Amino acid sequence: MSEQKQSERVPAKILLRDIAAKAYQKAWDAKNRGEKVGWCASNFPQEIATALDVAVVYPENQAAAISAKGGGLRMCEHAEGMGYSNDICAYARISLAYADLKSAEEMEMPQPDFVLCCNNICNCMIKWYENIAHELNIPMILIDIPFKNDYETDDDSVEYIKAQFDQAIKDLEKITGKTFSEERFKEVCEISQRTARAWLKAASFCAYEPSPLNGFDLFNHMAVAVCARGTVEAAEAFEQLAEEYEQAVKEGSSTYKGEQKYRVLFEGIACWPYLRATSTPLKEMGINVTATVYATAFGVIYNNSAEMMRAYSYVPNCVSVERAADMRVNVGRENKIDGAVIHTNRSCKLWSGIMPEIERRIRDELKIPTVTFDGDQADPRVFSEAQYNTRIQALCEVMAGNKEAAK
Amino acid sequence: MSNLQEKLAQLENIADNPGKQLDKLVAQGKKVVGCFPGYTPGEIVQAAGMVPFGIWGAEIELSAAKKYFPPFYSALAQSCLELGLTGKLDKLSAAIIPALTDTLKCLGQNWKVGVPNVPYIHLVHPQNRKIQAGVTYLAKQYRKIAKELSAVSGQEVTEAGLQKAIDNFNKHRAVMREFSETAALYPDLISPKQRNAVIKSGLFMDRNEHAKLTAEIIAECKKQEPKPWPGPKVVITGIIADSPALLGILADNKFAVVADEVAQESRQFRADVPKDADPFVGMARQWADLEGCSMAYDPYKKRGGMIADMAKKHGADGVIYLQTKFCDNEEFDYPIVKKDLDKAGLPSVNIEVDQQMRSYEQARTALQTFAEVISA
C-alpha cells in the first residue's frame, strides 16, 4: 500500500460490491451487443468461460439476492403455480420462475442463451438446469463431478472430469463462436488462484481473537468469489480486504461491533430472507461467526490441470461424510470455536442428509455444544424466529457454562 | 385355485415377504447382496456367485433412521436405512448403494456409518453417460465393484462369467417385457397388485428361477382368449408403485395397468445389456442408452414424450404420475411430463405416494375422479 494512505482508499467492501455489479453489467453489455450469455452454476469451473471471454451470470447469486430483498416468497409461489413442488430447492424455484417471468424487481439479469452446469454441489443442479435448457430451448453443458466415498479423488475420476473439460470447451466454442486459447486459459487460472488465495487469506483472519471481521461479512463478499474469481479486480479487492483485516488486527478493531464473547461455526447456507433475524440475536449475545465451510468452498486451490480437476471435486457437498466432517472440525479448530449453529436447510437435501452425523462428529471431536435450527436459504416460510432465538439462547448458556468451568 | 392363480400367489407371497425370502436364500447357503435403487449391476453380483437382492424400502415405522435423516427425506431412503439400523438386513453380505441422487448419496454415507456390519459398496453412475469418457468411467467402476464383490464371495468375476450372467439377465428381461404385454391383455386375470408382485418378486429371486415361473404365468394366460376390459386403461410412472393400498384402489376403480414407466418395474428390464467384446463396457453402454429416467441426465427431457408414445401404443386412456414424496428428481420432471401429456391429449393425474402414508383417502378420491373423467 506504500504511498497511498489507508484512509484514502476505497474500502474493499465497496470495491467488492462494485465488482459484483460490474460483472452483471458486463453480461448485460454482451447481451446488448448480441453476444451469447450463459447462466452458470456457482461451482462450475469458471476458468473455461472466463478464458473464452464469454459472459455468464449466476442464478444462485440471483436467487440469494432476490430472497434477501424479500422476493423469495413471490417467486417460489410462481414456480409452484407452474407445477413445481414446494419440496424443490428454493433457489431452483426462484430461478425457474425468473426464466418464466423474465423479470424480478429485486435483481434483473440477462436471459440465457446456454447453461453451464456442474453437480459438485448437488445433483439437484442437473434437474434444475435441464428444465431451464428444455423450457428455453437452449443448449446445456454439464461437467459431472462424481460424488466421492473415498477421502481422495481417484485417477479414474480425474480422467473422466478432464475429458468433460475438453468437451465443454469445444461445445462452448461452438455455441459462442469464440476461440479457446490455452495461453489465456493459463493466465485465467493464475488469476483465479490469486483470487482464491486472497479470499482464503481474508477469511483466515477469523482465527484472530478478537476476529477483525463479523463472520456474516463473508456471506456478502462471497458473491465476488463466485462471479468474478477469474478477474484481476477481484484478486486485488480480496488482497485489499486481507490487508484491511491485517490492519484491523494491529489496531484491535473489527467490523463486529461489540464485545466478542463467543466464537461459533455457522454451518450451512445463509438464511437469506432472514439475514438480520439470524445475525441480530448472535450480536446481542456477543457471538461472532468465526468459521464457515460454505464461504471458503469457493477458494479452489490448484497448481496444475490435474490438481484443478481434483480441486473442483473437493467442494464440501461432493465429499464423503468423513472428509465433510473433517472440513468442519478443522475450520472450527483453526478458528477456535466455542460452539456451532447448524442450519437445517429445507432446500438442500444433500447438505441436510448427512448433517446429523457431521454434527455428532463436530461435538465429539471439538467437545463443543451445537444447536440446529430449521430454515431455508430462500423460501421464507420455513424459518421460525422464536425457535432460532431459543436455540441461540440455549447455545449461549452452554458456552457460558463451559467458559466458566474452564476458568 | 387355478393353476394361474396358484403361480401368481407364489410370487405374491415372495413380493410381500422379502425378509422370509432373504432367510431362505441364506439358509440355502447362498450369499446375498443388497441392491439399492436403482440400476445396481446385479449381473456382476451373480457373476461373483451371489444373489442380487433388491432393497426398495418398506412400509415400516421409522425411528432409528431419524438420527440420520431430517424429516423431509423420502420414506424410501429412510426405511432402507431403518431396516439396516435395526438389524433386519444383517444377513446381507454387502450393500451396493448407487449415488444417483442427492438422497441416495446421503443414504450411502449414512449406511456406511450406521450399518458397518453390512459393507457398503459405493457406485457412481456418470451423468455425462453418453460421451466415451462416461462409458469408460462406468466400465472401470464396474470392474472395481467386481473386485470388491469377488473379495466378499471368494469367486473371481471373469469376463466369461459376467457375459453368462448378462445373458441370463437379458433372458429374464425379455420374459418380463413379455409379461408386461401379457398383463396388459389380460387385466381380468392379473390385477394391478398381482402385476406388481410378479415384477417385484424378481428383485428377490434368482433371475433364472423367476424367469421360469413368470414364463409359466404368461403361458397360463395365453391359454385363454383376451376379453374386452370395461374399465379405464392407464400407464403408470414414478419410482415405485408397490403400495398394496394404492394398488387396491386401482383395482377398485377398474383401472388396468397396460404399461409402466416405473423405476422399480419396467425401467429395470426395458432394455437389454448390449453385446460388447468387453462385458463391463456393454453394461456401461446400457446406462448410456437409457432414456426417460429422472435419475439420468437428459437435457432433452424425453420422458413425457416416451410415456405418451407408450400410452398410445397400449391404447391407454390416461397416465397416473405416482410422485414419491420428497423425491426431487421426480418433482422436477413432473411439470414438463404433464405439459407433454397435455400436448398429446392424454389426461393425467399426480398422486403423491409415500411408504409412511397412513391414509389413502385423498388418493382414493383423486383416482375415483380420474377414472370417471377418462371413462366419460
Side-chain angles (χ1 to χ4, degrees), chain B residues 36-89:
Chain B
F36 287 62
Y39 315 111
T40 316
E43 293 89 337
I44 305 178
V45 177
Q46 194 182 75
M50 299 185 283
V51 181
F53 194 90
I55 306 291
W56 288 73
E59 292 189 1
I60 50 170
E61 284 293 328
L62 300 175
S63 169
K66 289 181 180 169
K67 273 172 59 189
Y68 290 87
F69 285 126
F72 49 88
Y73 250 68
S74 83
L76 198 160
Q78 295 209 55
S79 61
C80 283
L81 186 63
E82 183 79 25
L83 289 167
L85 292 169
T86 52
K88 306 277 193 309
L89 298 175

Side-chain angles (χ1 to χ4, degrees), chain A residues 87 123-124 127 130-131 135 142 144 146-147 149 157 159-160 163-164 321-322 349-350 353 356 360, chain B residues 67 72-73 100 102 105 109-110 112 122 124 126-128 137 140 294 298 301 326 331-333 339:
Chain A
D87 175 53
N123 274 23
C124 161
K127 302 302 294 179
E130 267 180 8
N131 285 19
E135 295 283 15
L142 167 69
D144 168 38
F147 182 79
N149 180 51
S157 297
E159 207 175 295
Y160 169 51
Q164 295 179 81
V321 66
E322 294 83 5
K349 291 246 165 32
L350 186 48
R360 283 189 281 277
Chain B
K67 273 172 59 189
F72 49 88
Y73 250 68
L100 276 165
D102 297 332
K105 289 174 193 173
Q109 294 304 298
N110 287 330
K112 177 174 61 173
H122 180 70
V124 181
Q127 289 292 338
N128 254 326
Y137 177 72
K140 283 181 182 170
S294 64
D298 174 19
K301 307 296 282 190
F326 299 129
E331 290 163 350
F332 271 109
D333 271 9
K339 264 194 212 170

Side-chain angles (χ1 to χ4, degrees), chain B residues 296-310:
Chain B
Y297 172 46
D298 174 19
Y300 306 106
K301 307 296 282 190
K302 293 180 190 157
R303 183 176 176 193
M306 285 172 62
I307 298 170
D309 290 347
M310 199 183 277

